[in-house]
């Protein structure tokens, strides 16, 4: 697991300091970012909840050792498509330590990723189950399981550096960001605006099927803005209802609807149709 990797060297604060996540902004690699993240204890309410759930466990998992810590992003480290959810599920990613793994939401998402050529298998039950993703990375704006799946605005703000740095480190190859739900949508637009992407004002509202294409000007040195600059390829943000059971059990989000969003992401990212998974 990523906890073996070195923490960011620019990290002067203890993990329970509210400013601890800010040091993630200088993490030099995804593994350093993950190593910093998994030590984080900056949100007392979420730390207490994630650890209580890990101690008490659900009856069906009473023989398992829960992860009970912040959950890193998962998938292709240079993905053209990034999928951003909300937060780990208490008995899903908070149990298995891998994003969207071990619960019904993940079952729904990864089955769709398999149908659309992003995943080598349709199931996601444990961190060592052999699932690999190609061309896509899944992550979230809040990395600890929140009570009732509802992080507070302050918790969302505090956790923001992890998503921001992850998107930066995945790099300029990102062409499409899929937001699963309105919180992911808002977090993505905030992060992308900070990174120099031209986000329209007023900000586009979240909707299933919403599509916003952003442009940015790079200075040729890896930074943004400035004169003598050059255009970088556009990035499109797609909106999709979250894969929560609340949406999938009621038919608000169907497999066909999710497949259509993922296929649109493939098209926009210029990924050829998959034939060999
Ligand atoms: Fe740290 Fe984010 Fe978890 Fe808060 S939600 S403790 S900032 S990892």
């Amino acid at each position: 697991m990523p906890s073996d990797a070195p923490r960011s060297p620019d990290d002067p604060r203890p993990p329970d300091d509210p400013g601890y996540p800010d040091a993630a902004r200088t993490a030099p690699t995804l593994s350093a970012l993950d190593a910093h993240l998994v030590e984080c204890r900056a949100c007392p309410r979420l730390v207490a909840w994630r650890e209580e759930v890990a101690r008490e466990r659900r009856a069906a998992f009473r023989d398992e050792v829960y992860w009970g810590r912040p959950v890193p992003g998962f998938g292709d480290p240079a993905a053209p498509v990034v999928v951003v959810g909300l937060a780990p599920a208490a008995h899903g990613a908070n149990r298995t330590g891998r994003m969207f793994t071990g619960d019904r939401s993940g079952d729904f998402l990864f089955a769709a990723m398999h149908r659309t050529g992003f995943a080598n298998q349709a199931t996601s039950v444990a961190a060592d189950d052999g699932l690999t993703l190609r061309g896509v990375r899944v992550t979230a704006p809040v990395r600890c399981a929140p009570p009732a799946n509802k992080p507070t605005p302050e918790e969302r703000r505090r956790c923001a550096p992890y998503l921001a740095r992850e998107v930066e480190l995945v790099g300029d190859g990102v062409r499409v960001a899929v937001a699963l739900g309105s919180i992911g949508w808002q977090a993505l637009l905030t992060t992308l605006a900070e990174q120099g992407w031209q986000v329209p004002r007023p900000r586009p509202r979240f909707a299933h099927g919403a599509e916003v294409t952003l442009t940015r000007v790079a200075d040729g040195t890896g930074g943004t803005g400035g004169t003598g600059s050059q255009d970088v390829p556009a990035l499109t943000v797609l909106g999709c209802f979250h894969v929560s059971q609340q949406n999938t059990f009621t038919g608000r989000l169907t497999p066909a609807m999710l497949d259509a969003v993922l296929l649109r992401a493939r098209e926009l990212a210029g990924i050829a149709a998959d034939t060999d998974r």
Side-chain angles (χ1 to χ4, degrees), residues 106-128:
D107 292 346
F108 196 90
L109 177 64
F110 289 119
M113 286 193 171
H114 183 244
R115 287 192 298 272
T116 55
F118 283 113
N120 70 325
Q121 62 188 43
T123 56
S124 172
V125 296
D128 60 355

Side-chain angles (χ1 to χ4, degrees), residues 174-199:
V174 177
R175 298 275 64 81
V176 182
V178 179
L180 298 178
S182 62
I183 290 179
W185 177 268
Q186 291 164 24
L188 261 173
L189 291 184
T190 298
T191 289
L192 294 171
E194 284 173 4
Q195 295 176 8
W197 293 94
Q198 304 293 308
V199 176

